[in-house]
Amino acid sequence: MSASPIYHNNIKDIRGDGRVTIYQRPRRDGSISPIWHMRISLPNSTGYHKQSTKTASEPDATRIALNKFDELYIRVAAGSPLKASTFKDVAAGWEREYRATQPATRKEKHTRTAIGVLKKYPYEFFVNVKGNIAIGHLDDRMCQEYFSWRRQNSFLNGRKFVPAEDTLRKEQNLIVSLLTYAHNKHLIREIPKLNAPIVKDNRRPTFSADEWKKLYTAARKWVNDAKSEPVKRDRFYLQHLILILTNSGMRIGEARELRWGNLETIKTTEGKRLKAVVSGKIGERDVVMMPDTHRYFERIYDHRKAELYADPQPSDFIFCHKDGREIGSFKKSFASLLEHASLTYNARGQKRTIYSLRHTYATFRLGPMGKVSVYDLAKNMGTSVAMLQRFYGQEMTEDRAVAVTQVNKQPAAKPEPNEKQSYPFR
C-alpha cells in the first residue's frame, strides 16, 4: 500500500498476513485522526473492504476488524462479492436487465413507466434519505419504513397527498424485482420476504347509477353550452369518450390509441356487438362493448367525416385533434366536466379521475345491474379475477361474483337512432 509516511506509520497488520489491517488517517493540518479505520482482503476475492471502526481504541478497533473479516469470509464463501453492492448500483444493473427481459408484446412506454416508478420515490428514500444503503440491508423492516415515509412525503403538482395502497403494492413489486435481480447476481444470499402494506379500503372511486346519469346528462348540456366551435369540439370528444369507457371498461390509454381499423362488429347469440382490438399493458386483446355503444363511435365518425369532407381512414386515430394527431390527455377537460356536474368527489371524499369510468363499468357489470361472470369480465378488461374481487368485491359475495344476475344492461345514455348511414365497422 503506497501512502504518506504518516499514513504508513499508523498501519497495524492484525493477522500478520496483510489480510486485516487497521490505520489512522492523517488530517490536512498534518495531525492524525484518533479514529481507526480497517482494510480487509480475502482469499480468492479481488478488491478490499474499507470501513471506519468508529472507535479511537486500538484494542476495540482490532476486535471490530477481525469480526468484520469473519463476516465477510462467510459472505464470500456463500458466493457473494466482497464489496457490498448499494441500492444505486443494483438499480442501474436491474434497469438494464429489466428492459431486456420484458416480453416483446409489452409496450416500451409501460417498461419506461415501471423503471421510472422505482427510480422516483424508492430511489429517493433508499439512496438519498438512507444514504445509499447496501442492498443486503433492504429487508421488510426497511421496506415498511419506506411505506411510512412515502405516505408522508408524496407530492403532486406541489400538493401533498397520501398514495393509494395499490400504488404502494406496485412499488413493492418493483422492489422485489430489484431484490430478485440482486439474488440472481449473487449480490445477496436470499430474497427477504416483504409484507405488503395494510389495505384499509380497496374501493375505487366510481359513479353510482344516479351519478352516472347525472354525469352524462351534464356532459350533453356542457357540449351545447360551449362558447366556441373549438371548445365545443373538445367537449364533444370528451362526452363520447366517457360514454365509450363506461360501456367498455377500456383503460384511457387504450382508448386514446384506438384507430378506426381497430373496430369491427361481431355476431353473438344476443345480437351484434362492437369489438375493439386494443393494445394494453400485456399485449393485444379484444374488448367487446355493451349493446348500442356503436352509436357513440358513429357520432364521432360522422363528426370527423364532416371535418375531412371524406371518410376517416382505418389508420386514423378515433380520438384526435382537428389535424389528426392523437389527443394526448383528457385529464383537465374531465376535471372541468366533473366540477361542472358537481361530481369531483365521491361520498368518501375520494377525488374521481377518468379511471373512475373503468371502475364504474366493472361495478355495474358485477353489481345488481350486471349479468356477467367475473372470469369473462376479467378477460374483457385485461385484468385478473383476483384484482376484480379485491377492488370490487365489497358489493358482492364471491359466489355472486361468478354468477349471473337478472338484468342485462347497466344505465347508459339513451342512443339516438342512426340507421341510414353506413360505417366500416358495422
Side-chain angles (χ1 to χ4, degrees):
M1 176 189 298
S2 62
S4 68
I6 293 178
Y7 180 83
H8 180 76
N9 289 339
N10 285 277
I11 288 182
K12 308 291 183 180
D13 187 349
I14 304 301
R15 289 165 41 104
D17 58 0
R19 294 291 182 187
V20 182
T21 57
I22 61 172
Y23 58 91
Q24 292 171 310
R25 289 178 171 175
R27 294 176 173 144
R28 291 184 178 181
D29 62 4
S31 63
I32 300 174
S33 169
I35 301 300
W36 289 92
H37 292 255
M38 57 182 155
R39 191 188 79 158
I40 298 172
S41 67
L42 294 174
N44 303 317
S45 181
T46 60
Y48 296 95
H49 175 84
K50 297 179 181 180
Q51 183 180 343
S52 171
T53 66
K54 299 181 180 180
T55 180
S57 166
E58 184 176 335
D60 287 344
T62 299
R63 175 181 53 79
I64 291 170
L66 289 174
N67 288 342
K68 177 59 71 172
F69 176 86
D70 292 340
E71 176 190 328
L72 295 175
Y73 188 88
I74 294 172
R75 180 198 297 176
V76 171
S80 298
L82 172 61
K83 186 176 180 181
S85 297
T86 65
F87 186 97
K88 184 177 181 179
D89 294 334
V90 176
W94 169 84
E95 178 179 347
R96 292 190 295 270
E97 184 159 301
Y98 186 80
R99 287 184 181 278
T101 56
Q102 295 308 293
T105 54
R106 191 183 195 195
K107 288 195 170 185
E108 169 62 18
K109 69 178 184 179
H110 296 312
T111 299
R112 287 199 308 269
T113 297
I115 292 172
V117 168
L118 184 79
K119 294 179 71 175
K120 190 176 182 182
Y121 285 104
Y123 191 93
E124 172 67 20
F125 178 77
F126 293 113
V127 174
N128 298 328
V129 176
K130 303 303 288 186
N132 196 19
I133 65 169
I135 196 65
H137 294 166
L138 207 172
D139 55 12
D140 181 59
R141 179 193 62 78
M142 184 67 73
C143 198
Q144 296 305 320
E145 186 178 342
Y146 164 68
F147 292 146
S148 177
W149 174 87
R150 175 79 158 91
R151 291 186 179 100
Q152 298 173 33
N153 294 274
S154 299
F155 293 87
L156 182 63
N157 298 325
R159 297 182 63 182
K160 190 173 182 179
F161 75 101
V162 178
E165 299 300 333
D166 186 51
T167 298
L168 298 183
R169 286 175 181 269
K170 289 177 180 178
E171 292 178 4
Q172 184 190 54
N173 289 339
L174 290 170
I175 292 172
V176 171
S177 174
L178 180 79
L179 292 169
T180 301
Y181 165 80
H183 180 260
N184 292 340
K185 296 298 181 182
H186 304 291
L187 303 178
I188 55 176
R189 295 178 62 184
E190 60 184 19
I191 304 171
K193 182 181 183 303
L194 304 182
N195 293 311
I198 298 173
V199 178
K200 297 180 180 179
D201 193 341
N202 284 327
R203 287 176 291 174
R204 302 291 186 86
T206 63
F207 297 94
S208 67
D210 288 340
E211 289 170 332
W212 167 235
K213 183 177 181 180
K214 181 180 178 181
L215 178 64
Y216 69 69
T217 301
R220 188 184 305 125
K221 185 176 186 301
W222 193 56
V223 172
N224 294 332
D225 289 346
K227 302 299 184 182
S228 67
E229 282 304 316
V231 172
K232 186 172 185 177
R233 183 189 192 279
D234 291 344
R235 292 182 177 184
F236 171 84
Y237 271 81
L238 176 66
Q239 174 198 13
H240 288 81
L241 175 72
I242 68 172
L243 291 167
I244 290 166
L245 291 181
T246 311
N247 281 277
S248 67
M250 278 188 283
R251 297 179 176 89
I252 176 60
E254 295 167 348
R256 282 203 317 264
E257 296 179 3
L258 274 180
R259 300 171 189 264
W260 290 110
N262 296 136
L263 301 179
E264 66 174 293
T265 297
I266 59 174
K267 293 182 179 180
T268 72
T269 55
E270 296 187 5
K272 294 180 179 181
R273 296 289 184 270
L274 188 63
K275 182 188 78 172
V277 179
V278 303
S279 183
K281 291 183 177 180
I282 56 174
E284 288 189 349
R285 78 176 190 282
D286 292 341
V287 175
V288 180
M289 306 180 208
M290 295 297 292
D292 298 324
T293 308
H294 64 90
R295 306 281 189 177
Y296 313 132
F297 285 99
E298 289 169 3
R299 293 177 197 166
I300 300 174
Y301 191 92
D302 291 342
H303 186 279
R304 187 61 177 154
K305 184 176 179 180
E307 284 186 332
L308 297 172
Y309 299 101
D311 290 323
Q313 296 300 304
S315 60
D316 290 349
F317 287 111
I318 295 175
F319 295 99
C320 66
H321 293 288
K322 197 169 183 177
D323 61 6
R325 291 179 296 114
E326 173 191 352
I327 297 175
S329 175
F330 288 91
K331 185 176 180 179
K332 289 184 178 179
S333 56
F334 186 67
S336 295
L337 173 59
L338 290 182
E339 185 176 355
H340 171 77
S342 299
L343 290 169
T344 301
Y345 296 94
N346 67 4
R348 292 181 294 130
Q350 290 177 303
K351 189 173 183 178
R352 295 184 173 104
T353 69
I354 205 160
Y355 269 92
S356 298
L357 301 171
R358 174 174 162 88
H359 307 323
T360 299
Y361 166 83
T363 302
F364 283 165
R365 301 310 297 138
L366 291 172
M369 302 300 293
K371 186 181 180 182
V372 65
S373 79
V374 69
Y375 305 101
D376 289 337
L377 184 63
K379 187 172 182 179
N380 201 54
M381 293 182 68
T383 189
S384 66
V385 171
M387 189 65 72
L388 287 178
Q389 291 176 336
R390 177 180 159 207
F391 287 115
Y392 309 109
Q394 291 83 0
E395 298 180 14
M396 58 180 178
T397 63
E398 185 173 349
D399 290 338
R400 187 176 181 189
V402 297
V404 296
T405 56
Q406 301 300 313
V407 183
N408 191 30
K409 186 177 177 183
Q410 83 269 31
K414 186 177 180 180
E416 299 172 1
N418 191 352
E419 301 295 345
K420 295 181 180 180
Q421 177 65 280
S422 62
Y423 301 91
F425 49 88
R426 294 287 290 166

